[in-house]
């Protein structure tokens, strides 16, 4: 029952956002669910399906970090209900919303169908595997992973991403700081220290990794290429 209510609020939030594309309406979302751990899924949903997410997630700050995206294809890995995908599609050349949960992608598709034909053509959903985003080499220019890195086999996943990225591509990772936070954040065991993510990226073959722990109060942003 709780998850159904949360999904309802996701639908409502998405509808408000799509009907008012010029405003930064708060839209709930989900981190990727795991078919192997429904308990973890429930906890993740209750964490991110909150109406005040925009106040601490600050999606506009994250998107500004990407720079000019009008000519960029962005892969939103762990898209959930499309919290970032629907914001990015306004300005990006194309957005590929990727998740391992088909029900989340169905929600995105349902609301995509209410958008203008121009925006619909720029948003694609893709069902992926837990260990592989199923992207072709050079298919995207920017890769975004928000509130998801703790649920990945990081080293192998980063190696997969590095193998399909072309020169000039960038990876952005946004996740929760591992300290006491005044928001309902994931349990400590479902967060990853930023220096560990940084080391995993270097181990996977990334050459440039920068860590920003100041732009967002409760989260860090890591950029890698």
């Amino acid at each position: 029952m709780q998850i159904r209510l949360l999904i309802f609020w996701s639908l409502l939030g998405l509808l408000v956002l799509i009907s008012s594309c010029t405003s930064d309406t708060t839209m709930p979302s989900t981190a990727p669910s795991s078919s192997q751990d429904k308990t973890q899924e429930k906890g993740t949903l209750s964490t991110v399906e909150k109406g005040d997410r925009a106040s601490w997630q600050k999606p506009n700050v994250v998107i500004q970090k990407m720079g000019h995206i009008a000519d960029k294809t962005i892969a939103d890995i762990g898209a959930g209900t499309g919290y970032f995908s629907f914001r990015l599609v306004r300005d990006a050349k194309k957005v590929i919303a990727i998740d391992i949960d088909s029900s989340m992608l169905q929600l995105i598709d349902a609301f995509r169908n209410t958008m203008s034909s121009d925006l619909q053509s720029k948003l694609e959903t893709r069902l992926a595997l837990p260990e592989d985003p199923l992207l072709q080499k050079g298919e995207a220019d920017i890769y975004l992973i928000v509130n998801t890195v703790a649920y990945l086999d990081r080293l192998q996943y980063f190696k997969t991403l590095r193998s399909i990225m072309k020169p000039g591509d960038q990876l952005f990772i946004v996740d929760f700081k591992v300290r006491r936070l005044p928001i309902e954040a994931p349990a400590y065991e479902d967060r990853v220290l930023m220096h560990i993510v940084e080391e995993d990226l270097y181990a996977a073959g990334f050459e440039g990794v920068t860590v920003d722990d100041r732009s967002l109060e409760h989260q860090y942003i890591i950029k890698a290429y």
Side-chain angles (χ1 to χ4, degrees):
M1 178 60 72
Q2 182 183 12
I3 291 180
R4 290 182 179 178
L5 288 173
L6 293 171
I7 293 298
F8 168 78
W9 287 112
S10 295
L11 289 166
L12 181 60
L14 283 165
L15 183 59
V16 171
L17 175 68
I18 293 168
S19 64
S20 180
C21 287
T22 59
S23 65
D24 188 28
T25 305
T26 298
M27 179 175 61
S29 177
T30 63
S33 58
S34 169
S35 59
Q36 298 177 344
D37 190 345
K38 293 301 181 181
T39 300
Q40 175 177 291
E41 174 186 7
K42 183 176 180 180
T44 301
L45 281 167
S46 65
T47 296
V48 298
E49 297 281 0
K50 298 296 183 182
D52 63 347
R53 180 177 177 182
S55 66
W56 56 261
Q57 182 83 82
K58 294 182 172 58
N60 287 342
V61 173
V62 175
I63 293 172
Q64 287 170 4
K65 294 287 183 181
M66 299 179 183
H68 183 71
I69 62 173
D71 60 346
K72 305 296 185 183
T73 295
I74 302 175
D76 183 9
I77 299 173
T81 54
Y83 186 90
F84 272 92
S85 293
F86 282 112
R87 286 172 166 83
L88 289 164
V89 77
R90 306 171 192 170
D91 299 313
K93 176 183 177 181
K94 179 180 179 180
V95 174
I96 306 173
I98 299 170
D99 208 287
I100 64 172
D101 187 337
S102 61
S103 65
M104 294 296 98
L105 298 180
Q106 288 169 8
L107 289 177
I108 294 177
D109 285 334
F111 283 95
R112 180 181 60 179
N113 292 336
T114 70
M115 301 165 69
S116 68
S117 58
D118 177 60
L119 290 178
Q120 286 187 46
S121 67
K122 297 200 301 177
L123 179 58
E124 174 188 345
T125 55
R126 184 170 304 181
L127 184 64
L129 301 173
E131 70 278 6
D132 191 336
L134 298 182
L135 288 162
Q136 299 299 313
K137 185 176 180 63
E139 189 174 6
D141 306 297
I142 296 174
Y143 301 78
L144 176 65
I145 304 177
V146 180
N147 304 343
T148 301
V149 72
Y151 308 102
L152 302 175
D153 180 353
R154 288 186 306 281
L155 183 56
Q156 184 56 51
Y157 207 95
F158 292 162
K159 287 180 178 179
T160 298
L161 288 179
R162 188 70 186 87
S163 71
I164 62 176
M165 291 172 66
K166 58 187 181 297
D169 287 356
Q170 294 182 323
L171 167 64
F172 289 86
I173 298 171
V174 182
D175 223 290
F176 294 92
K177 296 175 180 178
V178 185
R179 61 175 175 78
R180 186 177 179 85
L181 300 175
I183 60 173
E184 188 174 350
Y188 286 120
E189 58 266 28
D190 291 329
R191 301 186 229 172
V192 186
L193 289 163
M194 57 188 178
H195 77 272
I196 293 178
V197 178
E198 184 180 15
E199 291 300 328
D200 285 343
L201 287 165
Y202 279 118
F206 285 86
E207 299 173 357
V209 180
T210 59
V211 177
D212 176 2
D213 64 349
R214 294 190 176 185
S215 294
L216 303 178
E217 183 179 359
H218 308 313
Q219 296 191 300
Y220 54 81
I221 303 172
I222 296 179
K223 180 172 70 173
Y225 61 87

